[in-house]
Amino acid sequence: MAQTQATSAIPLTAIELYCRQEADTASLAKQLAASFEHFLIKQPSSHLNIALEGDLGAGKTTFARYLIQALGHEGKVKSPTYTLCEPYPLTLKDQAITVHHFDLYRMRDPLEWQEAGFAEHFDVPGICLMEWPEKAEGTLPAFDIQILLSVGADENERSITINALSIQGKAVVDDIHIP
């Protein structure tokens, strides 16, 4: 199955990894969360736009869950498939941020997310994490980071590419510490 890419910018930097088991994917999400936290603490009131891309079943929602939990959310991370957006208010070293987790899979028209009032979420400190961004292509702000996921030979294996698409995204990606 061919992957649809919503972002067409040339990456400023990239990391490519092969995760052999789900624990490896969780570890990568944790490392990325640490880099996000470091960036957002150093630059209060910053905002990052993240595209999560891959075929159906590639693990976008699972990756988002690990990432949001690694940022400090202690409750359940719900899939926003039917609500389109789930907000997660968090505190990073006394700094309030919100992670807005979007899933646009069920959208039929690119303007639906704007009509729902979601554009304002891109102006608040924190992160907008968007699954299926191609469903709103042409109506979204630029992405700082693109995360491409694809399934490997085994159901728990993933190829994951993290592309920095902006200067802010490059600062985050360059700060990821892969063990």
Side-chain angles (χ1 to χ4, degrees), residues 23 29 31 53 57 59 79 85 101 106 119 126 135 142 157 160 163-164 168:
Q31 296 304 318
E53 300 181 41
S79 172
C85 179
H101 179 199
R106 299 203 181 281
K135 297 280 193 161
E157 295 177 339
I160 301 174
N163 292 317
Q168 289 189 144

Side-chain angles (χ1 to χ4, degrees), residues 20 22 46-47 70 75 79 87 91 99 101 137 140 143-144 153 173 175:
R20 297 194 184 285
E22 194 168 332
S46 290
H47 181 88
S79 172
T91 303
V99 174
H101 179 199
E137 197 162 17
L140 297 171
F143 286 99
D144 298 297
V173 173
D175 190 47

